[in-house]
Amino acid sequence: MSEHKLLLGDEAIALGAIHAGLSGVYAYPGTPSTEITEFIQGHPLARERKIHSRWCTNEKTAMEAALGMSYAGRRALVCMKHVGMNVCADAFVNSAITGVNGGIVVLAADDPSMHSSQNEQDSRFYGKFAMVPILEPSTQQEAYDMMAVAFTMSETLHLPVLMRVVTRLAHSRASVMVQEAKEQNDFKADEGRHWVLLPAIARKQYELLLSKQSELTKLSETSAFNKTEIGAAVGVGIIACGIAYNYVKEARAEGLSGLLKVSQYPLPDAQIKELASRCQKIIVIEDGQPVVEQDVKALLGKDYPIEGRLTGLLPRTGELTPDNVGKALGKPEAKNFEEAKNVVGRPPALCPGCGHRDVYAALNKVAAEYPGARIFGDIGCYTLGALPPFSALASCVDMGASITMAKGAADAGLFPAIAVIGDSTFTHSGMTGLLDAINDRSNITVIISDNLTTAMTGGQDSAGTSKFEAICLGLGVEPEHLHVVVPLPKNMDDITNTIRNEINYNGVSVIIPRRECIQTLNRKLRKQKSEKQ
Amino acid sequence: MKKDIILAGVGGQGILSIATVIGQAATQAGLHLKQAEVHGMSQRGGDVQSNLRLSTEEIYSDLIPQGGADLIIAMEPMEALRYITYLAPDGWVVTSSEPFVNIPNYPEAEALQQEVDALPHVAKLGIEAMAKEIKMPKSSNMILLGMAAPYIEILSAEQLRRAINAIFSKKGEAIVQANISAFDMGYKATLQ
């Protein structure tokens, strides 16, 4: 039985996975990937089948748990935003060496243009690096269809499969034809030794991985996801990857001698050579970084004319749009109105009534008393403390870097070195850094701004809720230098005094301002109200 | 036939709900549909927009090209102007006339209104005030949708009403009725 459903790209991926016989999704929230896991958490069939869907502490624990599920013979999905690939890279790269038992699909959602991210790294590099197949859907339908293919491919090849999407696919809705759900795999623990990556075994496994590469290329060359459309003209050929294909079709470019859509990697070498033989020039159009452009150059030789992001035909940074692709294909600009005069930027801001506001008000007040004070920030809503009116932060780099950067700066003589980190970010990647600081007796003051949720991504459960005091004490924070405060304007004196005292203490202090996120609180109150009615 | 619509507003104003209603109606009508949304950081009081493409033919791009939008529906006048380069020559702007000021450098009100009024095809209405008047402050987005309904053309007002019904039915009959009334209020305002 098949039917049409209106689905976000993320939801199409989630439903595709459920229907492919998924047994567990492992993920840490991150825009634009969050809705995949949320959809599975809310789906009745997932509940009925007891599909694991609880949030993980970070992407590395997620990837490793998925490996365990695969070891036991079942199908697992790992989801993350692109920078999550950095966190799970150790497990991900080695999963190509161990191989898999039950199928594993790793879903990386890239964010070209950095709509909600600190870089626009391209996850396809990770797929190439690990030497595993990569799928890159161009539509929501393809995203759904690919899930079943990916899991089967993973089990046939005994390799994890990477699926790469971008924001505009993840967060765009379209109608998707969905199929009946397949059965889940039975439990069947692996008997093989290939999971034990001692050097002697790892060397063999690495040879095995290398020996599969030509087979992967053949699969790409015969894949239904990679297809060439022949044009009548002689001259320009286009290689369009993932959603780039849509922009090329939208532009209705004339005078093409061929269009190769690439949605499965490694690149289909034979199709590219065949296209090149019929053209005088190839334009490579891909969202993200010029991964394919470089590879096609290597394949066709430096004398073959290739254009793309590296040659300036398309912008080197930022996402593709129908406009920049249209322009690259010679379509005239269709602007009818000039940019409006009375428009200014409207940057996001901390919500009115948010506890982080009170934390920054207090920090700025105390920091003003110390000319050398620096506040090292982290990833979450509270990164907005870097913007006016607070302009409080000296840094924001990656998950957990607030504590470790404050520590390093303190080692170098900076005083006072203050770290601000959210509750979910602290358990994601802050705990190990705090242990370093404690073992070193670093002179830092750590603020764990606890709003009881993972707020930036929409209010997912936070792994450490109600455990922070115990975690800090367990790591070795001295009880007299661990404080919990309630960030409200009426407590301002109490909070500033606590911060001042702990700055003056020469060692590691932790202050936990704790008040529920105003968004999750309002949602809860609305729900209670509607239940009463 | 195609209709490319840009929905614009400030995070939290409810433009995604408008998109959901139009999306539901389009799906029921068997139209092709693509709808790109903004999630994440900008939802914290920043500018948000959604590209909504409806067509009887296959749609390729999730994003609307510049100069291609048939309609801009905005919860806020400056946000309407932000996407003006995307408007087709004969495209319409349907917007709330009330500025949402959450930044220190918001443009001068009169200059902003003049620039909005100078557009060739524009319909504006004080939807927040109307919503307060009927004691439904949360339904101003449905007043705006009602206002825009006659310009959507590819879907009828009745199809949109049925979609509101389907979307809000989980929240109970009172919420459905409130949103339908808000929609009708905006719809009548445009027809008058």
Side-chain angles (χ1 to χ4, degrees):
Chain A
M1 184 201 73
S2 56
E3 56 172 331
H4 279 287
K5 278 181 181 297
L6 183 61
L7 296 174
L8 271 183
D10 276 349
E11 295 169 347
I13 290 162
L15 194 56
I18 295 172
H19 287 174
L22 185 74
S23 287
V25 60
Y26 295 90
Y28 181 79
T31 312
S33 71
T34 314
E35 293 82 354
I36 302 170
T37 304
E38 286 186 324
F39 185 88
I40 296 173
Q41 287 171 342
H43 198 276
L45 183 59
R47 257 192 305 256
E48 186 190 311
R49 290 183 164 190
K50 298 191 169 57
I51 295 176
H52 174 278
S53 62
R54 193 190 171 99
W55 292 107
C56 301
T57 304
N58 67 34
E59 293 85 353
K60 180 173 181 284
T61 66
M63 182 71 217
E64 291 157 351
L67 270 178
M69 180 162 273
S70 164
Y71 181 89
R74 298 194 192 263
R75 291 183 165 185
L77 173 66
V78 193
C79 305
M80 65 199 80
K81 67 182 294 164
H82 57 344
V83 285
M85 289 298 287
N86 303 333
V87 179
C88 81
D90 197 359
F92 173 71
V93 172
N94 286 314
S95 71
I97 313 279
T98 59
V100 308
N101 181 20
I104 292 187
V105 178
V106 178
L107 186 294
D110 291 1
D111 190 20
S113 280
M114 305 182 223
H115 296 284
S116 221
S117 305
Q118 70 271 44
N119 76 25
E120 53 178 31
Q121 66 183 55
D122 193 316
S123 296
R124 292 175 301 170
F125 278 116
Y126 271 112
K128 266 180 73 176
F129 186 40
M131 292 182 276
V132 299
I134 308 168
L135 296 173
E136 187 185 10
S138 61
T139 63
Q140 292 74 2
Q141 181 71 56
E142 213 169 44
Y144 173 86
D145 295 339
M146 273 180 176
M147 268 299 158
V149 175
F151 277 111
T152 306
M153 192 192 297
S154 173
E155 284 167 7
T156 313
L157 294 166
H158 299 290
L159 285 176
V161 171
L162 177 66
M163 189 189 282
R164 184 249 189 176
V165 297
V166 293
T167 301
R168 294 304 181 179
L169 182 92
H171 284 173
S172 178
R173 269 174 228 282
S175 179
V176 176
M177 172 78 92
V178 304
Q179 308 296 330
E180 217 166 316
K182 291 190 185 66
E183 290 302 315
Q184 290 168 293
N185 287 3
D186 290 329
F187 172 88
K188 192 176 183 301
D190 206 330
E191 304 291 342
R193 293 276 288 161
H194 56 98
W195 294 90
V196 187
L197 292 185
L198 282 165
I201 301 171
R203 281 181 208 116
K204 266 191 218 153
Q205 286 299 112
Y206 185 44
E207 291 290 346
L208 181 65
L209 174 62
L210 289 172
S211 74
K212 289 177 185 171
Q213 296 304 307
S214 59
E215 188 188 349
L216 301 192
T217 301
K218 275 199 197 85
L219 280 175
S220 286
E221 286 166 351
T222 53
S223 167
F225 300 126
N226 295 338
K227 57 170 189 189
T228 309
E229 295 168 24
I230 312 265
V234 180
V236 179
I238 292 177
I239 297 175
C241 310
I243 66 165
Y245 173 79
N246 306 338
Y247 299 137
V248 173
K249 297 295 278 188
E250 180 82 23
R252 291 185 167 75
E254 283 164 24
L256 297 183
S257 49
L259 165 60
L260 170 59
K261 168 181 169 286
V262 174
S263 285
Q264 184 174 335
Y265 308 78
L267 283 173
D269 290 349
Q271 279 159 292
I272 293 170
K273 284 181 182 157
E274 201 274 327
L275 178 69
S277 72
R278 275 187 295 104
C279 309
Q280 270 113 43
K281 179 172 91 173
I282 283 184
I283 299 174
V284 178
I285 308 181
E286 55 192 320
D287 220 348
Q289 295 178 303
V291 182
V292 168
E293 192 174 343
Q294 283 174 332
D295 283 353
V296 171
K297 252 188 193 332
L299 183 73
L300 298 179
K302 65 174 169 41
D303 295 332
Y304 196 97
I306 293 159
E307 290 212 69
R309 286 188 184 265
L310 286 173
T311 62
L313 182 70
L314 286 149
R316 181 66 180 78
T317 63
E319 66 183 351
L320 295 175
T321 65
D323 303 307
N324 58 30
V325 171
K327 192 175 163 213
L329 299 179
K331 221 180 141 190
E333 210 175 56
K335 247 191 238 177
N336 312 295
F337 294 88
E338 292 299 313
E339 296 274 350
K341 288 184 204 75
N342 291 289
V343 174
V344 294
R346 196 191 297 262
L350 289 169
C351 305
C354 166
H356 294 315
R357 283 183 173 268
D358 301 306
V359 170
Y360 282 118
L363 278 172
N364 276 351
K365 206 169 167 191
V366 180
E369 299 163 13
Y370 299 84
R374 292 289 189 280
I375 302 170
F376 297 91
D378 225 300
I379 310 274
C381 286
Y382 51 94
T383 315
L384 296 171
L387 303 178
F390 301 109
S391 307
L393 298 181
S395 72
C396 159
V397 181
D398 67 272
M399 298 286 281
S402 57
I403 296 176
T404 28
M405 275 192 72
K407 181 212 180 303
D411 290 348
L414 189 139
F415 175 79
I418 301 162
V420 175
I421 187 167
D423 50 319
S424 184
T425 307
F426 177 73
T427 43
H428 179 288
S429 288
M431 298 189 291
T432 45
L434 182 60
L435 182 58
D436 277 352
I438 288 161
N439 290 344
D440 244 1
R441 296 192 58 82
S442 307
N443 189 12
I444 63 170
T445 305
V446 177
I447 313 291
I448 303 175
S449 198
D450 182 6
N451 58 5
L452 307 169
T453 189
T454 312
M456 179 91 272
T457 44
Q460 294 74 28
D461 289 343
S462 173
T465 297
S466 80
K467 300 188 178 90
F468 289 100
E469 290 91 316
I471 291 171
C472 291
L473 292 172
L475 290 173
V477 177
E478 293 158 293
E480 58 273 34
H481 296 291
L482 174 65
H483 306 273
V484 178
V485 296
V486 180
L488 283 168
K490 64 173 184 184
N491 300 336
M492 200 48 70
D493 287 344
D494 176 36
I495 302 169
T496 49
N497 284 336
T498 306
I499 296 172
R500 198 175 292 113
N501 290 342
E502 292 308 330
I503 283 176
N504 292 336
Y505 165 66
N506 188 353
V508 177
S509 319
V510 175
I511 301 166
I512 307 176
R514 178 175 293 139
R515 178 153 72 79
E516 183 171 5
C517 163
I518 203 87
Q519 295 281 347
T520 56
L521 178 68
N522 284 341
R523 214 176 300 155
K524 229 180 267 173
L525 293 176
R526 273 200 301 271
K527 204 175 164 200
Q528 279 171 7
K529 200 176 145 195
S530 75
E531 274 164 9
K532 263 187 212 155
Q533 278 171 355
Chain B
M1 188 186 189
K2 68 109 185 166
K3 214 47 140 170
D4 285 340
I5 305 170
I6 291 179
L7 296 163
V10 181
Q13 278 192 319
I15 69 154
L16 291 185
S17 302
I18 300 180
T20 309
V21 170
I22 301 177
Q24 164 78 17
T27 309
Q28 286 303 312
L31 291 173
H32 291 274
L33 163 78
K34 284 210 170 188
Q35 185 218 327
E37 300 175 357
V38 173
H39 296 204
M41 201 170 227
S42 43
Q43 283 177 295
R44 300 276 171 271
D47 56 282
V48 293
Q49 50 89 14
S50 170
N51 278 208
L52 191 51
R53 314 194 72 186
L54 313 174
S55 178
T56 49
E57 316 296 323
E58 186 175 0
I59 303 163
Y60 291 106
S61 167
D62 295 83
L63 299 177
I64 298 168
Q66 292 212 325
D70 303 293
L71 185 57
I72 293 176
I73 304 177
M75 288 293 291
E76 208 280 319
M78 181 178 82
E79 296 308 325
L81 289 182
R82 190 183 300 282
Y83 305 100
I84 208 68
T85 59
Y86 286 87
L87 195 64
D90 50 356
W92 272 84
V93 173
V94 178
T95 182
S96 162
S97 59
E98 296 146 319
F100 184 91
V101 182
N102 63 344
I103 44 172
N105 58 335
Y106 193 91
E108 204 262 313
E110 202 159 317
L112 176 69
Q113 294 300 351
Q114 275 174 10
E115 195 170 1
V116 171
D117 292 340
L119 294 170
H121 308 291
V122 63
K124 57 175 196 170
L125 210 58
I127 55 167
E128 301 287 343
M130 289 167 76
K132 273 187 201 129
E133 207 172 287
I134 55 167
K135 297 197 171 56
M136 293 189 291
K138 295 269 177 223
S139 304
S140 53
N141 56 346
M142 288 302 124
I143 300 180
L144 184 71
L145 176 60
M147 261 179 86
Y151 303 98
I152 295 176
E153 287 171 332
I154 199 164
L155 292 165
S156 70
E158 195 42 45
Q159 284 172 312
L160 291 167
R161 273 190 210 100
R162 278 204 294 271
I164 292 172
N165 214 314
I167 297 288
F168 292 100
S169 63
K170 268 180 273 172
K171 296 187 175 172
E173 188 52 30
I175 301 281
V176 170
Q177 277 318 314
N179 280 290
I180 296 274
S181 312
F183 175 89
D184 285 340
M185 194 174 185
Y187 187 60
K188 278 184 200 130
T190 294
L191 294 188
Q192 269 163 13

